Each structure stands twice: as structure tokens, then as C-alpha cells.
């Protein structure tokens, strides 16, 4: 299972009831943070989630409303006794960005590893993967696609026939090969074809673009830029590299996403729910994100 919690949904500036757009994704004792705007720590406290077990902080770009919370968060994690490395992912320019952030954060008792995402993405324990998605903004930017795979159905009879001890079955189910009685037993020897996993996509700031649409194909959850509600502002959205409610919904519909959360609202949008019909007319499964909104996504058979 994967749990996703929106810590904020604002664009440009925090509002009294709307922190800057940030999301936390957690699975099997691990977690990723997408963007880290001003007030992220306070937003996490309000949402009742912890940030101490992060595997990576994943930045979509280096505009202030997406990164100004980073030095304080790094200091807090240090105070909590962290010593293991923390990945810091981001688009082009990460090394220069980190040089500044390192000065602001001060000495840390753990290494921060700046990571411009490789084409093959990053792998985490349990087979989870994270890949970058090129997006369309005024500066170099990227979204992220998280996948948690699911092994094929385990066949206990095959495992017993091959002499695999019961205590080792879980390792095979998690995709690990074993040495049993002088021979190698691979997961494929005792498991059927891989089943449908879980996919979550976080866009960051972007105008609609083919790469994001491809990444969102059949996603269980797409969290996407919806800076403008009024479709009359579509030219302004294009000029600044953002999307309207309707554009984001249309992208989700074309991609066949299963669920869409709108986020990154302009301060001009006082009540996102009032504009939600604009999105639902195109993609009925569209929902307005709000601070603290959370969902646990289970594995499904189809």
C-alpha cells in the first residue's frame, strides 16, 4: 500500500488556511517528500505525519515557493538524530542550488546527496522506483513518477517442492533469489506473472505537456498543477508555465488516470470547490486537493 498526504495546495505564497504545495508519499516504512516550500514542517504537524524517515526530498524546480522550507527541515532532521544519508533530487542546476542551501542549513550530522535523476530512475528497498518527468515551466523543471511493483501470485506448493524453508518465502515474494540445496531459486520459479502495482505522479508547476501525460498513463493518483480556475486565463497560464482546472482534467482524462487531485491554486482562487465542476465536466474523477487530504492506495487486481 501507498499513502499520499497533501501538506499544502497554495501557489506563490502561503495563506492562512493553505500552505504551499507539498506532498508526502509513504510506503512500507519509507517516505518521499515532493517539494518543500515555506512552512512545510508546520503543515506536516497539522496533517499528523512525520518527516524523519525520508528517503529523499524531490524538488520540481527552484522557485522560492517550492524550496524555502528546505534549510529548516534539514536542521530539524539533524536535531532528531539522523545519521543516514538523505537524497536530494532536482532538475538541472541542483549542484549550484545545493551550494547555497548547504550554507543556510549549516553543519549536518548526515550526508545530503544531490542527485540529478538518472534516466533509469532511482530504486528503493522493496523494488519501488522513482523517475523524473520533464515538465513545461519557465525554468528547468520536472515532475516525478513513483511506482511500487507487485510480484506475481506466490505458489506455496512450488516453494515446498523446491525445498524453500517457510521463513524464506517472503524474500522470494519481494523479488529476491535464494540459494537452496545448492541451487538458485528465483522468484519466477515460485511466482506467477507480475500483477498490477501502484503508480503516483506529482507534476509540480507545469503547463500541459506530452511527457506528463505519458507518465500519468493509468496512474492510481495524479497530483497536478491547477493554478488557474477560469479558462479565460488559459493564455496567462501558458505564459507562466501553469495549467487551468480544465486543462489538467483533460490531461488526466487522456492519460486514463484513475484519480486526479488538483493543487497549486493561485491566491485569486478563494474556493477551489466552487470551480471543481469545470474539471469534473472533463474528468469526473477530479477532486480538489486541500491541506491534509490523504489517501491510502491499495493494490488492485485490475
Amino acid at each position: 500500500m501507498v499513502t499520499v498526504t497533501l501538506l499544502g495546495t497554495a501557489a506563490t505564497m502561503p495563506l492562512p488556511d493553505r500552505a504551499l504545495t507539498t506532498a508526502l508519499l509513504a510506503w512500507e516504512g519509507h517516505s518521499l517528500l515532493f517539494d518543500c516550500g515555506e512552512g512545510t514542517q508546520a503543515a506536516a504537524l497539522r496533517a499528523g505525519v512525520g518527516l524523519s524517515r525520508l528517503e529523499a526530498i524531490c524538488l520540481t524546480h527552484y522557485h522560492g515557493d517550492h524550496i524555502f522550507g528546505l534549510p529548516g527541515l534539514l536542521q530539524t532532521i539533524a536535531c532528531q538524530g539522523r545519521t543516514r544519508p538523505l537524497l536530494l533530487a532536482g532538475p538541472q542546476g541542483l549542484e549550484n542550488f545545493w551550494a547555497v542551501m548547504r550554507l543556510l542549513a549549516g553543519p549536518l550530522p548526515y550526508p545530503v546527496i544531490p542527485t540529478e535523476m538518472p534516466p533509469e530512475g532511482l530504486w528503493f528497498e522493496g523494488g519501488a522506483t522513482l523517475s523524473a518527468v520533464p515538465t513545461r515551466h519557465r525554468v528547468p523543471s520536472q515532475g516525478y513518477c513513483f511506482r511500487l511493483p507487485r510480484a506475481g501470485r506466490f505458489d506455496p506448493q512450488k516453494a515446498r517442492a523446491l525445498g524453500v524453508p517457510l521463513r524464506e518465502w517472503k524474500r522470494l515474494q519481494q523479488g529476491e533469489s535464494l540459494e537452496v540445496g545448492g541451487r538458485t531459486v528465483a522468484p519466477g520459479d515460485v511466482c506467477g506473472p507480475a500483477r498490477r502495482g501502484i503508480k503516483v505522479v506529482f507534476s509540480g508547476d507545469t503547463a500541459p505537456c506530452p511527457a506528463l501525460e505519458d507518465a500519468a498513463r493509468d496512474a492510481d493518483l495524479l497530483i497536478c498543477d491547477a493554478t488557474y480556475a477560469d479558462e479565460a486565463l488559459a493564455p496567462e497560464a501558458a505564459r507562466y508555465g501553469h495549467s487551468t482546472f480544465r486543462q489538467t482534467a483533460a490531461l488526466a482524462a487522456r492519460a486514463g488516470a484513475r484519480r486526479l487531485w488538483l493543487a497549486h491554486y493561485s491566491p485569486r482562487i478563494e474556493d477551489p470547490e466552487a470551480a471543481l465542476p469545470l474539471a469534473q465536466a472533463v474528468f469526473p474523477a477530479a477532486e480538489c486537493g486541500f491541506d491534509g487530504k490523504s489517501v491510502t492506495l491499495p493494490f488492485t487486481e485490475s
Side-chain angles (χ1 to χ4, degrees):
M1 295 189 299
V2 173
T3 297
V4 182
T5 304
L6 267 176
L7 303 184
T9 53
T12 308
M13 65 187 74
L15 300 176
D17 60 346
R18 197 185 297 169
L20 292 164
T21 297
T22 307
L24 181 72
L25 183 152
W27 81 102
E28 300 175 2
H30 309 282
S31 61
L32 303 172
L33 185 69
F34 297 111
D35 281 336
C36 189
E38 174 189 350
T40 290
Q41 295 186 77
L45 289 171
R46 288 193 296 272
V49 297
L51 301 176
S52 62
R53 303 179 74 175
L54 291 172
E55 300 294 332
I57 297 174
C58 310
L59 304 176
T60 60
H61 62 294
Y62 309 122
H63 281 161
D65 56 335
H66 295 260
I67 54 93
F68 282 160
L70 183 60
L73 176 57
L74 295 177
Q75 289 179 346
T76 296
I77 293 174
C79 292
Q80 293 170 340
R82 184 182 183 115
T83 57
R84 65 188 182 92
L86 175 66
L87 295 181
L88 179 65
Q92 177 187 343
L94 181 60
E95 288 288 347
N96 290 337
F97 167 78
W98 174 237
V100 175
M101 288 294 109
R102 183 169 53 230
L103 292 175
L104 294 175
L108 300 171
Y110 57 89
V112 174
I113 304 174
T115 306
E116 289 193 11
M117 301 284 285
E120 66 274 15
L122 300 176
W123 292 75
F124 299 97
E125 185 177 337
T129 63
L130 181 71
S131 55
V133 180
T135 51
R136 186 180 295 164
H137 196 43
R138 290 176 293 156
V139 296
S141 64
Q142 63 189 30
Y144 294 92
C145 179
F146 172 87
R147 296 175 185 265
L148 183 64
R150 189 184 188 194
R153 195 173 300 279
F154 185 77
D155 189 330
Q157 291 184 337
K158 288 184 178 180
R160 292 190 186 97
L162 292 170
V164 181
L166 179 63
R167 65 179 181 275
E168 304 288 7
W169 286 7
K170 186 174 182 180
R171 293 172 61 188
L172 287 166
Q173 291 172 300
Q174 293 176 336
E176 186 177 346
S177 295
L178 303 175
E179 293 295 323
V180 179
R183 59 159 292 181
T184 300
V185 178
D189 296 330
V190 294
C191 296
R195 291 173 285 177
R196 187 181 190 279
I198 297 172
K199 179 161 75 166
V200 177
V201 176
F202 182 87
S203 79
D205 292 8
T206 186
C209 60
L212 180 60
E213 185 176 325
D214 288 344
R217 191 87 51 206
D218 199 30
D220 293 273
L221 174 62
L222 168 63
I223 302 174
C224 196
D225 181 317
T227 304
Y228 297 88
D230 187 350
E231 194 62 24
L233 295 174
E236 183 176 333
R239 185 162 62 251
Y240 291 111
H242 291 294
S243 300
T244 67
F245 276 40
R246 185 179 180 85
Q247 287 173 337
T248 290
L251 183 147
R254 291 192 302 270
R258 299 191 169 200
R259 194 167 191 165
L260 167 65
W261 285 359
L262 307 174
H264 200 263
Y265 307 127
S266 163
R268 289 181 282 185
I269 300 176
E270 295 182 1
D271 181 10
E273 290 286 345
L276 181 59
L278 296 171
Q280 290 182 331
V282 180
F283 185 69
E287 304 173 41
C288 280
F290 57 82
D291 292 24
K293 186 178 180 74
S294 185
V295 66
T296 296
L297 302 169
F299 287 115
T300 60
E301 295 303 323
S302 61

